[in-house]
């Protein structure tokens, strides 16, 4: 029997939390509801969720702080839920490591679609056991001076050292580096990396590029270049 995927719902509004739980239970997910940030941090190691739906406005420890603390110990996918729709709030949430950001009130079908999409991306990451059990004949990787991006085992090596990177950052880097000097618009990057019609601000691409640049500095032979008014490219110089 296939084990159900577990979703931790963190929201101090009991009605909204119960409604979300109902939607997800109908989709055969196992859910657990907690109503504040402290409870969320306590429940995380016990419930071991596959994904967290995290409200921002929580009593005590707010959602931003919960996200910070979880990201210090885990890369579990997090979808933030908030009535705040300003760009600043979205960008802050994404910079802290959230995988998606939904504005309340939201449509139940959209919520379920985003949960499924985020889980699909994370399921693409092979487990250690699976990786050692079967080695693929051909690995998907790109290599440049001082940089190796391997999509098979989701690893990045920069200047001889491994770099910790969430899946979407790595996929974005790999996608750009796989097509050197080709310019992609933000919409094209969203469509290719996120794998579904992303309903939201294309600023999410800018946030992920910013994170990549903090970890992977420009090199004399290559760089993550901005093409003003259009998008981005992985620029390779001879």
């Amino acid at each position: 029997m296939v084990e159900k995927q577990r979703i931790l719902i963190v929201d101090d509004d009991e009605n909204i939390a119960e409604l979300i739980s109902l939607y997800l239970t109908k989709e055969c997910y196992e859910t657990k509801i907690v109503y504040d940030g402290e409870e969320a941090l306590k429940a995380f190691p016990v419930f071991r969720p596959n994904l967290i739906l995290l409200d921002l406005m929580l009593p005590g420890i707010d959602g931003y702080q919960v996200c910070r603390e979880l990201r210090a110990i885990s890369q579990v996918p997090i979808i933030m839920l908030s009535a705040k729709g300003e760009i600043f709030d979205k960008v802050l949430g994404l910079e802290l490591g959230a995988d998606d950001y939904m504005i309340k009130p939201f449509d139940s079908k959209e919520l379920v679609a985003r949960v499924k999409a985020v889980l699909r991306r994370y399921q693409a990451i092979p487990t250690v056991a699976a990786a050692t059990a079967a080695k693929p004949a051909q690995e998907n990787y790109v290599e440049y001076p001082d940089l190796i991006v391997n999509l098979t085992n989701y690893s990045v090596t920069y200047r001889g050292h491994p770099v910790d990177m969430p899946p979407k950052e790595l996929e974005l880097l790999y996608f750009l580096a796989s097509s050197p000097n080709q310019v992609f618009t933000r919409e094209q990057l969203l469509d290719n990396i996120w794998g579904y019609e992303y309903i939201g601000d294309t600023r999410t691409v800018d946030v992920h590029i910013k994170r990549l640049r903090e970890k992977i500095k420009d090199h004399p032979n290559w760089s993550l270049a901005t093409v003003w008014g259009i998008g981005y490219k992985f620029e390779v110089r001879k």
Side-chain angles (χ1 to χ4, degrees):
M1 186 177 177
V2 178
E3 185 181 355
K4 287 184 179 181
Q5 291 184 299
R6 297 174 300 278
I7 298 179
L8 181 63
I9 301 165
V10 188
D11 199 312
D12 64 332
D13 188 317
E14 188 173 339
N15 292 329
I16 290 177
E18 292 288 349
L19 200 57
I20 291 172
S21 179
L22 180 62
Y23 295 146
L24 295 173
T25 301
K26 284 182 178 179
E27 296 292 328
C28 296
Y29 294 107
E30 180 183 347
T31 65
K32 180 177 178 62
I33 299 172
V34 295
Y35 300 105
D36 61 55
E38 247 182 89
E39 278 189 85
L41 295 173
K42 288 177 183 176
F44 176 74
V46 179
F47 186 58
R48 295 181 295 109
N50 299 99
L51 181 143
I52 298 173
L53 292 172
L54 178 63
D55 185 34
L56 291 182
M57 303 303 289
L58 296 169
I61 305 173
D62 67 17
Y64 291 121
Q65 186 59 33
V66 172
C67 186
R68 283 191 194 94
E69 296 195 26
L70 288 174
R71 277 290 167 263
I73 59 172
S74 172
Q75 290 299 329
V76 63
I78 296 172
I79 299 178
M80 285 186 169
L81 309 175
S82 177
K84 294 182 175 182
E86 286 77 13
I87 293 298
F88 170 80
D89 298 301
K90 293 182 184 178
V91 171
L92 178 57
L94 293 167
E95 285 184 335
L96 289 174
D99 296 85
D100 205 345
Y101 189 107
M102 292 192 69
I103 300 169
K104 295 178 179 180
F106 43 75
D107 181 78
S108 60
K109 291 180 180 177
E110 182 187 345
L111 173 66
V112 171
R114 291 201 186 198
V115 165
K116 288 180 177 179
V118 171
L119 285 171
R120 275 199 303 271
R121 291 198 300 271
Y122 275 76
Q123 286 160 7
I125 305 172
T127 62
V128 174
T132 54
K135 293 184 179 179
Q138 184 177 5
E139 292 190 337
N140 295 319
Y141 73 93
V142 290
E143 184 170 356
Y144 293 95
D146 293 322
L147 179 68
I148 301 172
V149 186
N150 191 324
L151 197 63
T152 302
N153 60 13
Y154 272 68
S155 66
V156 175
T157 305
Y158 174 62
R159 297 190 183 277
H161 299 286
V163 179
D164 288 331
M165 197 171 287
K168 280 193 295 184
E169 287 180 30
L170 187 146
E171 289 167 10
L172 178 58
L173 178 61
Y174 177 83
F175 183 80
L176 289 168
S178 296
S179 302
N181 296 321
Q182 182 173 341
V183 179
F184 294 96
T185 66
R186 291 169 176 81
E187 289 78 9
Q188 287 174 318
L189 293 171
L190 282 170
D191 185 52
N192 281 280
I193 306 307
W194 277 252
Y196 67 106
E197 188 178 356
Y198 188 83
I199 305 168
D201 201 294
T202 54
R203 187 70 188 275
T204 187
V205 174
D206 301 332
V207 171
H208 284 79
I209 290 288
K210 177 176 178 286
R211 285 193 215 157
L212 283 171
R213 284 172 171 162
E214 289 170 354
K215 298 173 183 178
I216 306 292
K217 305 299 181 183
D218 285 351
H219 190 276
N221 299 99
W222 50 263
S223 66
L224 283 169
T226 300
V227 182
W228 297 107
I230 302 176
Y232 297 98
K233 68 176 178 177
F234 188 87
E235 186 173 37
V236 176
R237 296 177 284 273
K238 296 181 180 178

